[in-house]
Amino acid sequence: MHMANELLSLPIAGGGLVVAGGALGLICRKAKQVITSGKLALMGILGAFVFAAQMVNFRLPAMPGTSGHIVGAVLLAIILGPHAAAIVMASVVIVQCLIFQDGGLLALGCNIINMALIPTYAGYYLYRIVAAKPFSNFRTYVGVMLACLIGIEIGAVLVPVQAALSGVLVIPFSTFLITMISVHFLVGTVEGIVTVTVLVYIQQVRPDIVAGNLQGKVRLSRRTALATFAVFTIIIGAGLSLLASGMPDGLEWSYAERPDQPNFEPIISNSDSRIAAVDKLQSKYSLMPEYSVRNNDEDEKHQASAGWTSFAGVFGSITTMAVIWLTAWILRRRNSGAIVTR
Amino acid sequence: MHHAYIDKFAYQDSVVHSLDARVKFIAAVFFTAVVISLPRTSFAILFCYTVGPFAVLVLGRIPLKFVFKQILLVSPFILVFALSCPLYDKTPVKVSFGPSVFQTTVGWMRCCAICGKFVVTMLALIALVSTTRFSNLLAGLRKMGVPKLLIIQLGFLYRYIFVLIDTAQHLLRARAGRTLRNLGPKQEMKTASAMLGSLFIRSIDTAEQISIAMHGRGFNGNWRTISRLKISNNDYIFGVFFVVFIISLYFFASTVLN
């Protein structure tokens, strides 16, 4: 569920970057008090473990031809504690973006929120609630399952919410939401089962790791956990209500402007002031106005000239690229020639 | 997977490679922001923007075949999203391009625009990371105020991804060598989780050893690097080119739009 840049508008992507950056800054400041230099290697290598673990795939039952792998956020949160796990997962998402080009540069903020911060904190909190002391195997396993399922599900729900707030959705919001929820229900279930089995294995081989004696574990106090959970709930609730209130069917407010009908009355103008405000903010920060393709007869001439201008633009770009390529080629030939003659 | 596979071109030497990581990073972010805020239905303007990353890639001697392979590799999600556009928006529009005028739907135009923007922003991202060493990028980010803890974490992560991916591939090969038929989902799951568990324990053990070794060499939580970050004349020239490019395209775009 790596989001690409194209699924977000500038204000939402920027907001995501600010929120993720601020949260990471806070977490780093908090974690710095507890994480000593000995734990740095552990965190780094467990981040690399996430990459390696994603290569270990297995055939999924009931769905021939598909294979699953784990994400590992909840596993890390249980073993490392949520702060360290959040830093590890955030670094994984950043490296996925910068080295493997998975997910866009501007979408990085939203990706960190959806895939690093939410699954680790929400997952850890759920796990702590369900698997509270006294220790019982059954409760632990149920807690892990729930943590994986709900942690991933919340992150997945945020994807269509962010896309819809950006106003880029052409697909009806509800369709996108239902698709994401059902797909990630499967993903979360598989993740939960595998996380439980991996924990069972580790419990048998190295019980000290699961028992929380591993150095580097930072526990989260109940109050902080509650507070974070409350903040997440408020953010998600606000986002959902913002979307749900204005649009009775399909939430198709990206249809506010119809390029083919200049006189089209925007649906949002008479519905909700908050959505209008978001839209206004968007148009204010969008560097250029929305392109409208004119269809009227009197605009035929204008349209033709615009067509020629864009033709010139494309043609000019191709020429420029050809010139750049040729120049570089000639320069390289000359340089390599120089080496040979030397 | 060999270490050199994914970002081997970052270790080349060229004018673009020698630019300061911070300058390139800011340029890439700004470029992406501009491309994202372009109108959703204009294709011609978008095309003009490819000139920028194209020039950087060519000057940095990055093979375009590698670049497009990489883009194809990460495109499935966005392709599904883009291809669903024509299904939902069938409003007809007339588009004129040069001498030809043709009829299409808004959905198709959006689909093209999403794919186009994806390719252009990916070009910019690849132009950034395949002409900048990751360690230099991290040093630049550190100078720009990213927390030290996160930078160290990223450094460690980058250093060990390839080691652990190698380990994982050994495990996978061992499994493949011992599995002659489909064992059924239950056994598959059991094997996979045992592999993951042992990989996890192995990672923790490795981490302990590395930690001890690093402490033996005097590591105290500070990441010391020979910082070669310096804004040079080349960086100013690049900056001027970048600004001129963006501004001239902005004016070109506004003439097309109005």
Side-chain angles (χ1 to χ4, degrees), chain A residues 6-7 37-38 43 45 47-48 57 59 91 98 101 170-172 197 206 260 291 293 303 307 310 317 332, chain B residues 44 48 61 70 81 84 88 91 94 96 98 110 117-118 121 129 153 157 175 188 193 205 210-211 215 257:
Chain A
E6 296 65 38
L7 289 185
S37 57
M43 280 168 59
I45 288 179
N57 57 342
R59 280 193 205 91
S91 68
L98 289 181
Q101 282 100 41
V170 180
I171 317 165
T197 46
R206 285 276 297 271
D260 56 322
Y291 185 30
V293 183
Q303 196 194 337
S310 45
S317 307
R332 212 174 303 155
Chain B
C48 302
R61 285 188 287 138
Q70 194 60 27
F81 188 76
S84 61
Y88 283 99
T91 331
K94 218 192 270 172
S96 67
R110 283 211 156 177
K117 280 186 180 184
F118 176 71
T121 53
V129 296
Q153 165 67 24
L157 178 54
R175 179 179 70 174
E188 278 250 343
S193 54
D205 288 343
I210 289 166
S211 185
H215 274 276
L257 292 176

Side-chain angles (χ1 to χ4, degrees), chain A residues 102-253:
Chain A
D102 214 349
L105 196 55
L106 274 188
L108 193 55
C110 289
N111 279 334
I112 288 178
I113 297 175
N114 300 346
M115 293 192 299
L117 301 182
I118 302 255
T120 46
Y121 279 96
Y124 183 77
Y125 182 59
L126 275 167
Y127 169 74
R128 280 294 296 277
I129 292 177
V130 180
K133 280 173 185 167
F135 183 84
S136 94
N137 271 345
F138 178 71
R139 278 228 299 270
T140 309
Y141 299 151
V142 172
V144 173
M145 277 296 293
L146 272 181
C148 290
L149 193 58
I150 294 179
I152 285 179
E153 205 64 272
I154 297 177
V157 165
L158 279 180
V159 171
V161 170
Q162 285 156 349
L165 279 177
S166 300
V168 294
L169 279 188
V170 180
I171 317 165
F173 174 73
S174 48
T175 315
F176 194 14
L177 186 71
I178 290 167
T179 317
M180 286 301 276
I181 287 180
S182 44
V183 167
H184 285 87
F185 182 79
L186 292 176
V187 174
T189 315
V190 172
E191 168 97 14
I193 294 170
V194 179
T195 308
V196 167
T197 46
V198 170
L199 271 179
V200 170
Y201 179 88
I202 299 173
Q203 170 85 47
Q204 285 168 355
V205 182
R206 285 276 297 271
D208 55 314
I209 295 176
V210 187
N213 299 332
L214 187 74
Q215 58 162 347
K217 173 150 184 162
V218 186
R219 277 186 180 273
L220 186 69
S221 78
R222 218 185 175 88
R223 249 197 11 229
T224 334
L226 262 177
T228 15
F229 217 61
V231 170
F232 282 150
T233 321
I234 291 168
I235 293 174
I236 292 168
L240 276 178
S241 70
L242 186 68
L243 284 169
S245 56
M247 295 140 285
D249 51 38
L251 303 158
E252 294 161 312
W253 60 294

Side-chain angles (χ1 to χ4, degrees), chain B:
Chain B
M1 179 193 274
H2 292 294
H3 183 131
Y5 175 69
I6 197 87
D7 60 343
K8 54 186 167 192
F9 297 110
Y11 293 86
Q12 290 185 153
D13 208 10
S14 79
V15 193
V16 191
H17 285 79
S18 66
L19 293 176
D20 190 286
R22 283 167 290 178
V23 176
K24 277 186 276 189
F25 183 75
I26 293 170
V29 171
F30 192 74
F31 181 85
T32 314
V34 171
V35 171
I36 291 310
S37 64
L38 281 178
R40 272 174 223 132
T41 41
S42 70
F43 205 62
I45 303 169
L46 193 59
F47 191 81
C48 302
Y49 275 89
T50 40
V51 176
F54 178 82
V56 172
L57 285 169
V58 169
L59 288 178
R61 285 188 287 138
I62 315 295
L64 293 179
K65 204 174 145 197
F66 163 81
V67 174
F68 282 105
K69 233 187 212 169
Q70 194 60 27
I71 293 180
L72 265 185
L73 207 67
V74 292
S75 59
F77 184 59
I78 198 78
L79 268 186
V80 170
F81 188 76
L83 285 177
S84 61
C85 286
L87 298 179
Y88 283 99
D89 196 343
K90 289 191 174 142
T91 331
V93 283
K94 218 192 270 172
V95 187
S96 67
F97 177 71
S100 55
V101 176
F102 45 92
Q103 198 78 31
T104 174
T105 63
V106 174
W108 276 111
M109 288 190 70
R110 283 211 156 177
C111 168
C112 291
I114 288 175
C115 292
K117 280 186 180 184
F118 176 71
V119 170
V120 177
T121 53
M122 271 298 146
L123 283 177
L125 181 60
I126 294 175
L128 168 72
V129 296
S130 55
T131 61
T132 317
R133 293 179 188 199
F134 196 62
S135 53
N136 286 356
L137 193 59
L138 286 185
L141 288 175
R142 174 78 193 110
K143 281 251 172 89
M144 281 159 45
V146 175
K148 197 178 75 183
L149 195 60
L150 194 59
I151 296 290
I152 294 180
Q153 165 67 24
L154 284 169
F156 264 116
L157 178 54
Y158 177 71
R159 177 72 190 77
Y160 286 101
I161 290 174
F162 303 100
V163 178
L164 280 190
I165 285 182
D166 263 351
T167 315
Q169 280 184 338
H170 292 167
L171 287 173
L172 287 174
R173 178 169 292 181
R175 179 179 70 174
R178 287 178 176 83
T179 315
L180 295 177
R181 59 184 169 81
N182 192 353
L183 299 172
K186 203 177 159 196
Q187 189 61 36
E188 278 250 343
M189 194 74 98
K190 216 173 151 186
T191 319
S193 54
M195 282 164 71
L196 286 169
S198 78
L199 188 64
F200 191 82
I201 291 169
R202 227 189 268 195
S203 317
I204 287 177
D205 288 343
T206 319
E208 272 166 18
Q209 287 161 11
I210 289 166
S211 185
I212 293 168
M214 287 178 70
H215 274 276
R217 286 170 176 75
F219 178 69
N220 61 355
N222 287 318
W223 197 264
R224 288 169 211 280
T225 49
I226 307 168
S227 179
R228 280 172 299 172
L229 288 183
K230 218 176 113 191
I231 305 277
S232 65
N233 283 342
N234 278 351
D235 292 308
Y236 289 118
I237 296 170
F238 174 76
V240 169
F241 264 108
F242 181 72
V243 171
V244 168
F245 176 68
I246 293 286
I247 291 179
S248 55
L249 271 189
Y250 180 78
F251 280 116
F252 169 71
S254 26
T255 52
V256 175
L257 292 176
N258 299 318

Side-chain angles (χ1 to χ4, degrees), chain A residues 69-91:
Chain A
H69 65 79
I70 69 162
V71 183
V74 174
L75 185 67
L76 288 187
I78 291 170
I79 287 178
L80 283 179
H83 297 315
I87 296 175
V88 171
M89 287 310 291
S91 68

